[in-house]
């Protein structure tokens, strides 16, 4: 992997990025639903070379019990990277970064969950990054929302996330690992598609206000495209099941 | 800081909410008003640099220490910046002794990004021998009294403490050892980012939320503004959401407030 | 894995027990039948080697990383093998986040002994400079879906991932630094141990126990078989006991099963 | 800071110590009462270059609950040093020394607190050393007692502490950091002024019995002087408050 | 201690091992019963140069309470090595090896204990290795069973353990430290003597099936010899007590 | 050791208190009588030195290990002394597994100060290469049976184990490496401090308190006495207080007892 001092360009003369993408082009995204047996809901996402597995448990008894809430479900999330998911082996103990991402992911998803329907229970989300190549939090959020639907947990809408950023002075969509490391800014965004509400917004780097507004705009557009992939993945699962078992209305996702 | 700060009563929260319907805040401020702000630098003589920031009833002390050590493998020519937050239990009935928890970690990382991404410190100038020996700058943030908005107070105190910091001037000898000289020098500070936090309570946006407002808030966001009004870090917090329009409005306000605060406390 | 896996109901356990009286298993297998087994290598490109093993509904991912470091003082001419197990909570409602507990530690150590004692890896070939610098091989075992018999699945996935692993060919320079070449080489694997687990439920022995069978079992045992049918590691588990005759019978069956699995998945 | 091998004298020819003090002279001491908003009581002490902040919470609900006592308040104290308080940055994790000092400070103060008045509650003391220059435990104890009074917790008397020691063969009062490091003995002492009872006594170094007795004596005399400063600090707070709000008898400290 | 590269032989021309033993010869074993005051039962074993102290507490109240079982006693064991017990100082924090051995020892002993007689209590075993010279888990198990009897805890039989292994190609009994390190295989075995059931079986190294069967056989024979030493140790304690205090039938061990 | 040792009944404590009114102790001792004391050195052959001290029903084992390592930066010419206490759970129903808690830490630090401040070990003689390499002396204290007064028993066992310790004689080669010789040498011990503890129960002072007395006591104090009857460490414990007169009386008694014990067990 080229280091930060590397002089190579992130955008070539033809306006293409290192992996051949255009400025506003997403990496290939594939979502599989219901891939785990023990979890109540699950999803697997491949997003570029990111490979992330998400399992959802709950609503279930809260452990330890004193954390339970009398008026709603306790929603918890854990973002965790496998030791082999990055270039240098990562210690399996959660880093400060993993603690932070677990928190922002929880806060990003909770507004869409009808937690008030399940008082005194917990809904637990486990995100395991098996391979990381930039943008794992957005991929993790996108997959988790699908896994929540797969678990049959009532949600207002699927949450979908996508970063934008600045490389070689240009605003681009969906930064890869090397673009994140060598670029000038990175901004993960998550939205609730039906309302357009922003439920995650982080940024680091340097943006002028114009750049910021443009980046926010393309992130939102990216989110909308990815939302279609989420819906398609759920629909495929649903149709397959419909074909094999007794059909039953899918209530977990309210599609407008 | 979230809902674990239950010591602000439900009644207070209700009152905050009702007053906001008339665009009034519980402590009499306007929606865009910052609390009174005071910066005292240099109180801790044994630290290389220090600053105490008082923001309303919130008090944050930052101490800077300078040591030498090895650089990160992927940035062999850069000094190391380490930001740590201790939410010590005398600051709030809800802070407990022990290793930093989620809230403290997030705060440390957001302050760190504000400093790092604005390139406030020229880390290249803190390299002694490439790949082997660099200066390590420890920024230790100590919350002493917690009445809301630690993000802004901590960022300001950190920058003020870095600005206050002095180290012995030095020459790098052939063997990579340092020979210290008599005179003091400052750290290579080249930018003074200012973080501005805004909370959203029932569709009203209030800047510099107090503790009661933070608890009552649906969502909060911190924007760090660097040189020329550039945006260098953003962190949305809490389980509520923002519309795009609200975000744009917050960015505009943050730029204006950051400019005022920077001019008042960090100029020169 | 023991009794903390209470999510298999008492009724299921009773059913397992009753069927076994007629030498039948709850999933229809014969006593000596292994579940369907699948090995997919190389899914994790950023790891030096990787393998995903699916054993019935049990899924284990193993990633191999290769680094350099210092050898253990008592084996200065040997590379270092480190086996770590994470029972991540998405695999089972009973796995909790946090540092490895007793079950994970035992699993890691039994897999480690199977690899180490069979001399599967020629550790001598992983020495760079005696006493100073060697290759460290990290085998990280990740349980993704837990339906029993992690011992066999983890051992198989570990060996398959080691077999899959590639590193840049290298020359050791005079100063002990490595000069990497363009071509890839494999790890010095010289043996392919296979672990076979058997559970004892009411005096019946069943190979490759599923989760329900593991919970219903009085005792369990894992036998790792290496080259030429040699036994290279044994671990009896749970609070029941075995007679000498049962042990001999288990050894015989383990040799046979190991041969079949080795031929199917590890040949070449 | 000169290291232990340094040959310089701790006492000069005129009988003065490095900072100009006489043998039985205290460093300047200043105490501010009620400096924190959130704590139920607080005090800030500057003692030489020591700068220490103390917050008191309680009587309050015990957390975790199983530690509560049916017949009295649980009294806890935590002595902690800020990473920037000493020459080399200190890890924020409590050291063995901090654990020990937390214990001796708790045992030193508890005899003066009417814990039996508040069963099933806890009274928690947090001592944060912001800058250390020798004698932090004595300064911490002295300030904590004032903070307990500020919190309105009924106490029998203010506890006051002061070390004595031996430097260059002489018995001196109130050792500074360098005197502690390069001297021959250090002995922190705390007393309950009204009864003269000794409630903390630690020593390390080498004392003959005569030296020990002399040192104990001057520590006690030092304590008495500092007790006057404590009382003054509380009185100042009280008078100021009296001037501004409805007067109310100060019950927290029973002055004989 | 010779390192692994050492070329010396583990068996000499006369067929004797480094410490002079024959292939099937045990090291000297000595067991003292009831050596501790505070523990409910205790035993001290010297086995070669292994020196191990075992204390048993219980049946007693379970702490923390939520671990208690409504239908039987919670049986726990902790195998721990003193920092000075091995050649290089060992950190007192439990290693992964100590965690594993604590587990296998617990599983080895539990089948002989009538835990169902003591619901909602715990029986806790603490094994402290004061000096280690190979075979500590077998020595620890052997001593623990005696300590359980000393504590008056009803057991079905004494458990007894002994390793066998392979050195210089020969199957031998009871490996010493150096034989374990330089030999080809090590196999700890524990049995319940009355029934011949195997309650612990671990192995590492390389055995053909014939070697394995032979090793298992001599381990079992070794166990029987050690069982006699266990019984003798208990009888000695019992007779001594009988002589000095009111005789009382020893109920803790049911000897056939 | 404080009140967490509730296994001594209230009745016993009352009896202790009542007997003391007549200057009698529950085990028949006079107020100034020490329990029977036994020191056995060298039981742990694999340690450099060891000693088992039996004080009434209290038993403490100490093992000494000698390694090489780097000195502390502020004492580059001194070897390192490390005292650690493990209150292992077989010694008392109230000791729990896990990292040392407050009581164990205090005990370790008081024993450490007794040894260090009396200059029992000549740390300068344990320097190999100034600032780079020194001997590290580990003193590991293991409480095996706890019936009170661990402070005195641990200090005595530590000194006896240090006295018992042997290491290979050595020559320091030019490159700072050690060349070991055939003969053994002792550690550079130059003083034999003895710690004496006294408890105060209802205004009565009793030396060498048993567990019941420690629990019944209002206050306790440990005084370490070095060469020529000098005082080298003091630690008052528990929440009671002492008068000045009581302290003077305790110092006098401690000097006398320390002299007797030193003469009996540490002479030569």
């Amino acid at each position: 992997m080229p280091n930060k001092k590397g002089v190579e360009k992130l955008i070539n003369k033809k306006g293409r990025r290192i992996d051949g993408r255009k400025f506003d082009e997403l990496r290939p995204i594939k979502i599989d639903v219901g891939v785990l047996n023990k979890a109540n809901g699950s999803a697997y996402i491949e997003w570029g070379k990111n490979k992330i597995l998400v399992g959802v448990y709950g609503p279930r008894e809260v452990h330890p019990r004193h954390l339970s809430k009398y008026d709603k479900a306790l929603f918890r999330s854990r973002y965790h990277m496998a030791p082999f998911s990055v270039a240098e082996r990562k210690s399996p103990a959660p880093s400060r970064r993993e603690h932070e991402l677990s928190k922002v992911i929880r806060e990003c998803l909770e507004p869409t969950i009808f937690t008030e329907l399940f008082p005194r229970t917990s809904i637990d989300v486990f995100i395991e990054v098996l391979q990381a190549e930039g943008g794992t939090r957005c991929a993790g959020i996108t997959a988790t929302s699908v896994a929540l639907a797969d678990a049959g947990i009532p949600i207002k809408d699927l949450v979908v996330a996508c970063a934008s950023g600045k490389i070689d002075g240009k605003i681009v969509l969906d930064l890869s690992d090397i673009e994140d490391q060598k670029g000038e800014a990175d901004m993960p965004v998550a939205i609730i598609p039906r309302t357009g509400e922003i439920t995650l917004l982080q940024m680091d780097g340097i943006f002028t206000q114009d750049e910021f507004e443009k980046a926010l705009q393309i992130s939102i557009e990216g989110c909308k495209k990815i939302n279609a992939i989420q819906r398609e993945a759920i629909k495929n699962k649903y149709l397959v099941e419909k074909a094999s078992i007794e059909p039953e209305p899918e209530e977990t996702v309210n599609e407008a | 800081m979230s809902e674990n700060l239950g010591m602000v009563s439900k009644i207070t929260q209700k009152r905050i909410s009702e007053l906001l319907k008339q665009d009034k805040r519980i402590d009499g401020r306007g929606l865009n008003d910052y609390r009174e702000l005071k910066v005292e630098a240099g109180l801790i003589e044994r630290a290389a640099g220090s600053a105490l920031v008082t923001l309303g009833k919130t008090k944050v002390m930052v101490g800077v220490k300078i040591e030498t050590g090895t650089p990160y493998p992927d940035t062999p020519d850069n000094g190391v910046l380490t930001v740590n937050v201790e939410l010590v239990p005398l600051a709030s009935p809800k802070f407990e002794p022990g290793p930093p928890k989620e809230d403290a970690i997030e705060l440390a990382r957001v302050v760190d990004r504000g400093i790092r991404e604005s390139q406030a410190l020229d880390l290249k100038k803190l390299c002694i021998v490439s790949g082997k020996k660099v200066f390590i700058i420890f920024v230790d943030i100590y919350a002493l009294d917690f009445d809301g908005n630690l993000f802004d107070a901590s960022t300001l105190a950190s920058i003020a403490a870095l600005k206050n910091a002095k180290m012995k001037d030095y020459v790098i000898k052939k063997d990579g050892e340092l020979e210290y000289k008599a005179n003091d020098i400052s750290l290579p500070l080249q930018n003074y980012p200012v973080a501005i936090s805004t909370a959203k309570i029932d569709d009203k946006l209030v800047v510099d939320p107090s503790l009661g407002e933070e608890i009552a808030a649906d969502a909060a966001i911190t924007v760090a503004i660097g040189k020329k009004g550039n945006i260098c870090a953003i962190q949305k917090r809490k389980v509520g959401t923002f519309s795009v329009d609200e975000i744009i409005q917050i960015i505009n306000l943050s730029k204006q407030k950051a400019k005022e605060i920077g001019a008042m406390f960090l100029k020169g």
Side-chain angles (χ1 to χ4, degrees), chain A, chain B:
Chain A
M1 187 174 33
N3 63 42
K4 284 208 166 187
K5 290 186 303 183
V7 290
E8 78 264 50
K9 289 288 209 177
L10 295 172
I11 298 178
N12 70 14
K13 290 173 194 166
K14 294 178 184 166
R16 292 297 178 118
R17 295 151 70 178
I18 284 179
D19 53 11
R21 281 187 289 155
K22 289 182 257 177
F23 293 176
D24 62 349
E25 191 177 345
L26 291 166
R27 288 171 286 180
I29 296 173
K30 199 190 95 186
I31 301 174
D32 288 340
V33 186
V35 294
L36 296 178
N37 280 290
K38 294 296 166 184
N40 299 118
S42 60
Y44 172 71
I45 190 165
E46 288 191 3
W47 177 321
K49 287 183 184 158
N50 291 306
K51 299 186 179 188
I52 298 170
L53 194 53
V54 179
V56 171
Y57 285 91
R60 63 177 177 179
E61 210 179 310
V62 183
H63 178 76
R65 218 176 284 178
H66 70 91
L67 295 177
S68 78
K69 302 185 171 188
Y70 73 97
D71 58 347
K72 59 176 179 174
L74 175 69
F75 179 62
R76 293 184 287 202
S77 75
R78 182 181 190 247
Y79 167 97
H80 187 237
M81 301 185 92
F84 44 78
S85 62
V86 282
E88 294 264 306
R89 178 186 187 255
K90 198 208 143 285
S91 158
S95 64
R96 303 207 316 170
R97 178 179 169 278
E98 284 166 292
H99 280 294
E100 185 199 345
L101 293 198
S102 295
K103 178 178 188 286
V104 298
I105 290 171
R106 183 183 75 233
E107 292 176 344
C108 163
L109 291 163
E110 184 161 343
T112 63
I113 303 172
F114 289 101
T115 52
E116 62 277 17
L117 296 179
F118 308 102
R120 297 182 199 285
T121 70
S122 75
I123 297 170
D124 296 304
V125 163
F126 301 107
I127 300 168
E128 288 291 341
V129 178
L130 301 176
Q131 182 160 279
E133 199 227 355
T136 54
R137 96 194 62 183
C138 289
I141 288 164
T142 299
T144 301
S145 208
V146 171
L148 284 163
D150 182 50
I153 291 169
I155 54 177
K156 293 173 193 161
D157 196 1
L158 293 167
V159 174
V160 56
C162 185
S164 52
K166 183 164 65 165
I167 60 173
D168 289 359
K170 304 288 182 194
I171 301 303
V172 300
L173 186 65
D174 182 22
L175 274 61
S176 68
D177 203 19
I178 188 169
E179 289 174 337
D180 181 13
Q181 279 173 48
K182 305 184 49 158
E184 295 110 71
D186 182 34
M187 181 165 77
V189 176
I191 64 165
I192 301 174
R194 225 168 356 138
T195 61
E197 290 167 282
I198 293 167
T199 179
L200 173 117
L201 181 62
Q202 294 184 287
M203 190 280 245
D204 54 57
I206 296 201
F207 269 155
T208 64
Q209 183 156 356
D210 281 354
E211 288 168 343
F212 167 77
E213 292 184 18
K214 185 168 175 199
L216 185 57
Q217 197 47 49
I218 67 165
S219 271
I220 290 169
E221 282 160 22
C223 283
K224 286 177 184 163
K225 289 180 196 159
I226 299 159
N227 186 231
I229 301 171
Q230 287 177 310
R231 288 163 179 267
E232 190 66 22
I234 292 169
K235 203 181 289 172
N236 286 345
K237 173 86 186 309
Y238 175 69
L239 290 176
V240 171
E241 286 189 349
K242 212 171 166 177
S244 58
I245 60 165
E246 192 65 10
E248 178 184 48
E250 178 81 47
E251 287 177 334
T252 56
V253 187
N254 301 310
E255 306 198 16
Chain B
M1 305 291 116
S2 73
E3 60 215 306
N4 66 342
L5 294 163
M7 68 285 193
V8 173
S9 71
K10 294 272 173 196
I11 293 163
T12 305
Q13 291 185 51
K14 207 171 166 186
R15 183 113 190 281
I16 288 170
S17 186
E18 277 168 12
L19 284 168
L20 274 174
K21 285 179 191 155
Q22 314 155 45
D23 284 351
K24 285 183 184 166
R25 291 170 78 172
I26 195 163
D27 54 10
R29 282 189 282 164
L31 302 190
N32 295 351
D33 290 349
Y34 229 74
R35 285 174 289 180
E36 199 180 337
L37 191 52
K38 198 167 78 176
V39 179
E40 295 161 90
L43 298 178
I44 305 299
E45 302 91 343
R46 298 198 84 164
S50 63
L52 174 66
V53 162
T54 306
L55 174 58
K57 290 179 179 170
T58 289
K59 266 189 164 59
V60 175
M61 171 77 89
V62 169
V64 170
K65 287 276 181 190
I66 304 170
E67 297 185 1
T68 59
T70 49
Y72 289 115
D74 54 345
T75 52
D77 300 319
N78 284 10
V80 170
L81 169 69
T82 295
V83 177
N84 183 57
V85 165
E86 294 289 309
L87 299 182
V88 286
L90 52 60
S92 165
K94 291 296 171 184
F95 294 169
E96 286 174 12
K101 296 182 188 64
E102 207 179 59
D103 284 339
I105 290 169
E106 182 185 38
L107 174 55
R109 285 178 56 83
V110 172
V111 174
D112 181 295
R113 287 201 286 267
I115 300 172
R116 189 179 304 279
E117 300 298 337
S118 67
Q119 297 171 1
L121 263 180
D122 188 349
L123 293 177
K124 294 230 174 299
K125 292 201 176 141
L126 296 171
C127 179
I128 301 168
V129 180
S130 172
K132 297 228 166 132
K133 194 173 184 179
V134 299
F135 286 106
I136 302 177
I137 312 298
F138 289 98
V139 173
D140 279 292
I141 298 171
Y142 238 61
L144 299 180
D145 219 350
F146 174 45
D147 194 43
N149 199 7
L150 285 178
F151 285 79
D152 297 6
S154 299
T155 302
L156 184 57
S158 298
I159 293 293
L162 287 167
K163 196 160 168 281
N164 172 250
K166 291 275 177 292
M167 58 187 291
K168 284 271 164 255
D169 198 358
Y170 59 91
V171 180
I172 303 166
K173 294 192 290 182
K174 276 187 184 163
D175 61 358
E177 294 296 301
L178 296 177
E179 188 176 300
Y180 288 101
K181 302 204 269 185
N183 60 311
D184 280 345
I185 54 170
S186 295
L187 287 175
L189 262 188
Q190 53 190 12
N191 193 356
Y192 305 91
V194 176
I196 303 294
S197 294
T198 302
K200 177 177 169 183
I201 307 171
D202 305 334
D203 296 320
K204 296 287 180 179
L205 299 177
V206 297
V207 80
D208 176 27
S210 65
L211 179 57
E213 290 170 339
E214 277 189 354
I215 293 166
D218 303 301
I221 189 166
T222 300
V223 179
I225 302 291
K227 237 180 235 171
K228 301 181 196 162
N230 283 336
I231 304 158
C232 50
I234 303 178
Q235 183 89 341
K236 180 248 159 191
R237 293 172 283 119
K238 302 204 73 175
V239 300
T241 61
F242 289 103
S243 70
V244 171
D245 286 350
E246 285 166 343
I247 294 288
I248 304 292
Q249 184 184 337
I250 287 164
I251 297 286
N252 281 322
L253 180 63
S254 299
K255 283 173 67 174
Q256 178 200 320
K257 288 286 158 194
K259 197 173 171 184
E260 290 169 19
I261 291 170
M264 224 180 311
F265 297 104
L266 300 170
K267 61 188 169 191

